[in-house]
Amino acid sequence: MNDKDKLSVLYSREEIASAIKSLAQEIKREYKDKKPILISILKGSFMFMADLVRELDFPLEVEFVRFSSYGREKKSSGEIKVIQGITFDVENRHVLIVDDIVDSGLTCNFLKKLLTDKKAASVKVCALSIKPSQHTMPVNIDYSGLVIPDKFVVGYGLDFNQKYRNLPDICILE
Ligand code: 5GP
Ligand code: MG
């Protein structure tokens, strides 16, 4: 931890856990008989993915893609770097994108298009959190838990320059 960074808790681990339980109930209703592929966007959503799938008691598969758009800044570069793309088959499969936070909407829409082009049977989005003030394009989030104000947050998988991913709470970085 860096003494110079000021952190304040926005959502506690308990609030996060309860949001995930509600999301899991909704997801189960839709997917319990569909053997979906849940696709986590790394690195930010690794913790959310791990906690979400443990709340889902039906057959599913997990896959990962890795994108980067932030570099070392607090603002998105607006350009998506594909570090690991779709290396698995999605044709005729029901897929659910699992993301940590939807900010501009760029990342989500980009992955949705890739999956649609690869002929997935259906593509939906589950975001632990959304930052509505920052959406720069129409973005359809099917399941979302927490609303984030127009601030930069870290913790629960989210970083600043690769730091703070291990915090159990979602915190505002001043
Ligand atoms: P997008 O602008 O494409 O919707 O957001 C892309 C990604 O930027 C998110 O999935 C997340 O990993 C990262 N991001 C967006 N807002 C924040 C934030 O407040 N804090 C951190 N650490 N990452 C963010
Ligand atoms: Mg992300």
Side-chain angles (χ1 to χ4, degrees):
M1 193 132 324
N2 183 337
D3 297 339
K4 279 183 296 183
D5 293 338
K6 194 171 165 291
L7 298 172
S8 53
V9 174
L10 177 64
Y11 290 111
S12 66
R13 66 197 84 182
E14 291 82 11
E15 289 171 306
I16 297 169
S18 121
I20 293 175
K21 281 201 163 67
S22 313
L23 285 172
Q25 279 171 6
E26 281 184 71
I27 291 169
K28 183 175 179 176
R29 241 174 274 141
E30 171 79 22
Y31 288 102
K32 62 180 181 333
D33 301 314
K34 291 188 172 163
K35 201 162 175 269
I37 307 178
L38 273 62
I39 306 176
S40 154
I41 308 179
L42 294 173
K43 297 179 194 173
S45 64
F46 79 98
M47 213 176 266
F48 175 41
M49 179 73 149
D51 285 343
L52 179 65
V53 293
R54 278 180 286 187
E55 296 292 333
L56 300 174
D57 55 352
F58 56 85
L60 57 81
E61 293 176 23
V62 298
E63 290 289 354
F64 299 87
V65 293
R66 187 167 159 207
F67 297 156
S68 174
S69 66
Y70 267 55
R72 295 178 61 82
E73 303 301 321
K74 280 194 195 173
K75 259 196 95 50
S76 170
S77 63
E79 206 181 286
I80 299 167
K81 251 200 290 180
V82 177
I83 298 168
Q84 182 185 316
I86 302 168
T87 55
F88 42 90
D89 196 13
V90 297
E91 196 171 334
N92 297 321
R93 298 293 304 273
H94 295 283
V95 301
L96 181 63
I97 296 171
V98 175
D99 205 1
D100 48 3
I101 178 167
V102 175
D103 189 33
S104 67
L106 194 66
T107 308
C108 242
N109 283 347
F110 174 78
L111 180 55
K112 256 194 196 174
K113 180 166 188 316
L114 290 183
L115 292 164
T116 309
D117 289 349
K118 288 184 182 287
K119 302 189 170 58
S122 71
V123 182
K124 288 193 176 186
V125 179
C126 172
L128 175 62
S129 65
I130 52 171
K131 234 189 232 181
S133 63
Q134 295 297 309
H135 293 186
T136 56
M137 55 180 69
V139 47
N140 189 18
I141 315 293
D142 302 277
Y143 309 97
S144 72
L146 309 167
V147 176
I148 307 278
D150 190 11
K151 304 268 184 194
F152 191 78
V153 292
V154 295
Y156 197 74
L158 293 159
D159 75 311
F160 176 56
N161 291 346
Q162 302 307 325
K163 272 196 315 192
Y164 302 127
R165 292 194 197 275
N166 53 324
L167 296 177
D169 309 310
I170 295 178
C171 299
I172 293 172
L173 178 66
E174 306 290 355

